[in-house]
Amino acid sequence: MAFNYSFRVAVSLAVALLAGVMWTVDVFWGAFCTALLPIALYWQQKLYRHHVRKVLFMLDAIENNDNAIHFSETENTADARLVNRALNRVAHILYNVKSETAQQEKYYELILDCVNTGILVLNDNGAVYQKNSEALRLLGLNVFTHVSQLNRVDPRLSSLLANCRPGDKLQMPFNNERGTVNMSVRVSDITVRKEHLRILALNDINNELDEKEIDSWIRLTRVLTHEIMNAVTPITSLSDTLLGLTEAQVSKEEIRNGLQTISSTGKGLLSFVESYRKFTRIPTPEPSLFYVKSFIERMVELARHQHPDVRVTFHTDIAPSDLILYADENLVSQVVINLLKNAIQAIESDKNTDKEGHINIRAYCNEAEAILIEISNNGPAIPNDIAEHIFIPFFTTKEGGSGIGLSISRQIMRLSGGNLSLLPGKETTFILKFN
């Protein structure tokens, strides 16, 4: 192509040179050659514009992802065929480069969506350049284009992300529609095409905090159990022995009553400690497949049987009706029964005796294919200052309560690979999540 283009330029120059020479030889031929010069230049300019239009058309097609662009390689002139063949090659190369770049971007997006860490890429103005599905899940958003959108979730969170700087390691709890998130944020930066970008790594550390809390309480409970059992067991044994020796000593009634008190107190303490021992000795789950609908129906009937005098109505919503759960049915039943018992007790304690109690049980599968069971009641809501402590072992507001029911329930869910949480709101709603 370069040879033919140069050849045409040479022809134009030759015509111009010939015109100059002919003027010196003959006026007619000089005028004739001079007349040919504009024609040669016009022909050259037209050819140049034609090729430029082809190049621009090719670039527009590539920009619009039109991979059907193709110039005819069977035109009359060899030059046209050569130019078209070259343009087709260039178009094919550019389209392949663009296609490979798009595939790589999609590949990296899929990788980001597979990680358990939320990733956000922000510019210095707060615009979101990139995010993965985990970041959207943590923040409770479906669409996220600017940090100002977080004002709907929590204005403090919006300010935190807008003002964070590279090297920061931050932590902040906040509530979204899915519950409480205790989020940690790590910030780094990068400059791309002369624009400064911040890369934020987001993690919900609730699980880590809960597991550390549970482990600490388990170790403490084991120590307390060991020490108390060692101290109480011989006292109880000795009291029983002394009681046996004093059967015939009716005149020593006062001693007998004292020994009975020691014995009953010791046995009560042993029972008290044994209930706490259950917290540290939950059996290893043995999961199996079972239908959620029939399981919930059995749990409701059992709760009704255990509390026949409480006026309460149960509402169940299982979607789909043949929903199947893979878990240890016996252990999960302990969790559900405990939550239903708490709900009935909450309704029973309501001072508004004319109010009919309602317990709603909803089971469904979310977009991440996790199975969730929600149990809510219309009894008095749990105050915020108490809600923060309800999963701590031994914490209770009930008279005579042990304070381990919810702790054991959460531990069972942890061992089952799931989680138990309290959903903030006007009604008390607990969510069992099975991943």
Side-chain angles (χ1 to χ4, degrees):
M1 186 179 81
F3 171 78
N4 288 280
Y5 181 76
S6 300
F7 174 75
R8 286 171 178 165
V9 172
V11 169
S12 299
L13 292 175
V15 170
L17 181 61
L18 180 61
V21 172
M22 293 304 294
W23 273 105
T24 61
V25 176
D26 186 275
V27 175
F28 172 77
W29 289 108
F32 178 75
C33 291
T34 302
L36 289 179
L37 181 60
I39 297 174
L41 293 175
Y42 171 76
W43 172 51
Q44 189 66 31
Q45 186 180 28
K46 183 179 179 181
L47 184 63
Y48 170 77
R49 289 177 178 175
H50 179 66
H51 291 333
V52 168
R53 284 195 298 269
K54 285 184 178 179
V55 172
L56 294 177
F57 180 76
M58 176 193 70
L59 294 177
D60 288 339
I62 294 174
E63 187 175 7
N64 294 319
N65 294 319
D66 181 10
N67 60 340
I69 179 69
H70 183 78
F71 297 101
S72 175
E73 298 182 9
T74 59
E75 291 190 5
N76 295 330
T77 64
D79 288 345
R81 291 196 297 271
L82 189 62
V83 169
N84 289 352
R85 193 176 300 118
L87 290 177
N88 288 336
R89 289 183 59 193
V90 172
H92 180 71
I93 293 171
L94 292 178
Y95 181 79
N96 284 344
V97 170
K98 187 174 183 180
S99 178
E100 290 174 2
T101 302
Q103 289 177 358
Q104 287 181 350
E105 289 180 356
K106 187 65 176 178
Y107 172 70
Y108 294 138
E109 287 180 3
L110 291 174
I111 291 178
L112 285 179
D113 283 338
C114 290
V115 301
N116 294 325
T117 297
I119 301 296
L120 288 180
V121 180
L122 310 175
N123 69 1
D124 292 335
N125 295 323
V128 179
Y129 272 40
Q130 184 63 276
K131 72 273 184 185
N132 65 351
S133 57
E134 179 65 12
L136 295 176
R137 188 190 70 81
L138 287 174
L139 298 174
L141 297 173
N142 294 323
V143 178
F144 188 32
T145 58
H146 197 277
V147 292
S148 60
Q149 293 174 253
L150 293 173
N151 286 321
R152 301 197 306 267
V153 179
D154 192 323
R156 297 174 304 157
L157 180 62
S158 176
S159 176
L160 179 77
L161 298 189
N163 299 317
C164 64
R165 292 294 174 260
D168 287 350
K169 296 179 181 179
L170 310 169
Q171 182 178 332
M172 177 185 170
F174 67 94
N175 294 322
N176 60 26
E177 61 182 10
R178 295 179 176 88
T180 301
V181 178
N182 199 334
M183 190 171 68
S184 69
V185 182
R186 292 176 178 266
V187 188
S188 57
D189 66 336
I190 189 174
T191 300
V192 179
R193 298 186 185 94
K194 298 182 179 181
E195 182 173 17
H196 180 253
L197 302 175
R198 291 170 294 160
I199 302 174
L200 281 61
L202 315 178
N203 285 286
D204 183 359
I205 59 175
N206 272 339
N207 291 347
E208 298 176 13
L209 295 177
D210 291 339
E211 289 175 2
K212 290 180 180 178
E213 178 184 286
I214 294 295
D215 289 340
S216 298
W217 280 111
I218 287 176
R219 288 194 294 268
L220 175 60
T221 303
R222 284 174 177 167
V223 172
L224 291 175
T225 300
H226 177 75
E227 295 298 329
I228 295 175
M229 292 289 285
N230 284 346
V232 174
T233 300
I235 293 176
T236 306
S237 177
L238 180 59
S239 300
D240 288 338
T241 302
L242 292 175
L243 281 172
L245 292 175
T246 58
E247 286 293 337
Q249 301 177 12
V250 181
S251 60
K252 298 182 179 180
E253 189 68 24
E254 187 175 353
I255 297 176
R256 179 180 176 81
N257 290 339
L259 291 174
Q260 284 179 337
T261 302
I262 294 174
S263 178
S264 60
T265 302
K267 290 177 180 178
L269 185 55
L270 283 175
S271 176
F272 178 76
V273 174
E274 183 62 28
S275 67
Y276 286 150
R277 180 184 283 183
K278 294 177 182 178
F279 178 72
T280 63
R281 294 190 176 179
I282 297 175
T284 302
E286 297 180 0
S288 62
L289 292 172
F290 60 92
Y291 286 100
V292 175
K293 183 178 178 63
S294 57
F295 168 76
I296 294 298
E297 290 173 351
R298 289 197 304 272
M299 296 299 101
V300 169
E301 288 303 317
L302 184 58
R304 282 183 174 142
H305 177 74
Q306 292 177 343
H307 305 273
D309 299 329
V310 181
R311 189 177 63 173
V312 60
T313 302
F314 290 87
H315 301 274
T316 61
D317 179 16
I318 316 298
S321 58
D322 59 349
L323 185 64
I324 295 178
L325 179 61
Y326 183 69
D328 190 316
E329 186 173 357
N330 292 327
L331 291 179
V332 175
S333 67
Q334 293 184 37
V335 178
V336 175
I337 284 296
N338 182 61
L339 294 176
L340 292 179
K341 180 193 72 174
N342 289 347
I344 291 174
Q345 290 176 348
I347 293 172
E348 192 176 19
S349 66
D350 194 352
K351 295 181 180 179
N352 185 6
T353 54
D354 296 332
K355 178 181 176 181
E356 183 179 358
H358 292 278
I359 296 178
N360 299 317
I361 305 174
R362 178 182 175 225
Y364 59 96
C365 187
N366 65 9
E367 295 178 354
E369 298 186 354
I371 295 178
L372 291 89
I373 301 177
E374 297 182 2
I375 300 177
S376 61
N377 68 84
N378 65 339
I382 300 176
N384 292 334
D385 56 337
I386 294 178
E388 297 176 359
H389 305 287
I390 59 174
F391 292 109
I392 296 177
F394 318 143
F395 175 84
T396 181
T397 57
K398 300 176 184 177
E399 185 177 352
S402 63
I404 62 171
L406 288 176
S407 301
I408 291 178
S409 296
R410 174 171 273 191
Q411 190 182 0
I412 288 174
M413 291 300 297
R414 295 282 188 206
L415 294 174
S416 301
N419 188 26
L420 172 64
S421 59
L422 174 65
L423 187 66
K426 294 182 179 180
E427 285 197 346
T428 299
T429 303
F430 286 92
I431 299 180
L432 292 79
K433 182 179 180 182
F434 299 87
N435 296 317

